[in-house]
């Protein structure tokens, strides 16, 4: 199995997220940052076993893998549980399914047509995409994590290639 660096992971997904942005309208920078973070830049067990870059649960064309995951209860307390995660034939289907979810579900309507990556990051956190909590403050910090990834790797430039 290949071990990805952030740079090699981003090089591998760049053509995929640019193509996806052309089709779906979801910002390439947001998709790339989420993929980078959620898949530990392509090295997570879920990504290695199921080509699932975003931790999307359920089945994809009837395919899934069971994985141990950390969830958070309504009080913000972490607990471990087994869950079914979608198994994809390739990263392209994982990326397309991620954007299709944003375009299908009502709670993500504010991502459709959004061309400002900073606003998109705030929106995806407000929409409840992830349960990432800052251990110091006890408050959600997913938007800042995404913004840091986008700005560190200059992923906002990818959006400009399509817009």
């Amino acid at each position: 199995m290949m071990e990805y660096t952030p740079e090699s992971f981003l090089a591998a997904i760049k053509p995929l997220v640019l193509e996806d942005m052309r089709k779906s309208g979801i910002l390439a920078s947001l998709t790339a940052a989420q993929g980078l973070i959620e898949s530990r830049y392509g090295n997570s067990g879920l990504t290695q076993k199921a080509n699932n870059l975003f931790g999307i649960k359920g089945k994809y064309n009837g395919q899934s893998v069971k994985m141990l995951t950390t969830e958070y209860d309504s009080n913000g307390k972490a607990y471990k549980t087994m869950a079914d995660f979608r198994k994809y034939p390739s990263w392209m289907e994982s990326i397309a399914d991620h954007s299709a979810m944003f375009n299908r579900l009502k709670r993500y309507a504010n991502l459709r047509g959004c061309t400002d990556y900073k606003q998109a990051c705030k929106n995806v956190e407000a929409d409840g995409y992830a349960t990432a909590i800052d251990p110091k403050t006890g408050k959600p910090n997913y938007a800042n994590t995404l913004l840091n990834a986008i700005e560190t790797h200059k992923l906002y430039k990818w959006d400009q290639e399509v817009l």
Side-chain angles (χ1 to χ4, degrees):
M1 251 332 125
M2 178 177 174
E3 183 80 12
Y4 289 95
T5 64
E7 294 74 22
S8 66
F9 173 77
L10 291 170
I13 68 163
K14 182 178 182 181
L16 306 177
V17 298
L18 290 177
E19 178 64 22
D20 180 73
M21 183 177 167
R22 287 183 192 98
K23 290 177 179 173
S24 71
I26 301 299
L27 290 175
S29 62
L30 177 66
T31 303
Q34 285 192 278
L36 183 77
I37 293 159
E38 301 292 338
S39 76
R40 287 196 320 272
Y41 40 92
N43 297 312
S44 73
L46 180 60
T47 299
Q48 297 288 321
K49 288 180 183 161
N51 288 313
N52 188 328
L53 296 172
F54 306 98
I56 298 176
K57 293 183 180 120
K59 294 185 185 316
Y60 181 80
N61 293 337
Q63 300 294 302
S64 66
V65 294
K66 274 205 182 307
M67 300 284 290
L68 187 64
T69 183
T70 302
E71 298 294 338
Y72 295 87
D73 66 21
S74 57
N75 298 320
K77 186 168 169 22
Y79 65 95
K80 299 272 187 194
T81 187
M82 292 298 285
D84 284 326
F85 288 87
R86 293 178 181 200
K87 183 176 182 179
Y88 299 99
S90 74
W91 288 2
M92 187 68 235
E93 288 87 358
S94 179
I95 290 165
D97 192 46
H98 173 260
S99 293
M101 177 185 70
F102 285 165
N103 281 323
R104 180 178 68 251
L105 297 178
K106 190 175 183 178
R107 76 182 204 202
Y108 297 116
N110 58 10
L111 295 175
R112 297 174 208 142
C114 183
T115 58
D116 176 348
Y117 74 90
K118 292 178 182 178
Q119 189 60 53
C121 291
K122 290 176 189 160
N123 289 351
V124 84
E125 178 180 285
D127 298 342
Y129 182 87
T131 52
I133 305 293
D134 185 320
K136 292 182 188 127
T137 66
K139 296 191 184 317
N141 66 343
Y142 193 59
N144 287 335
T145 302
L146 291 171
L147 286 167
N148 184 45
I150 289 170
E151 291 172 354
T152 297
H153 299 286
K154 298 180 174 46
L155 301 176
Y156 49 83
K157 291 182 175 182
W158 294 9
D159 298 336
Q160 299 309 313
E161 292 184 37
V162 178
L163 290 174

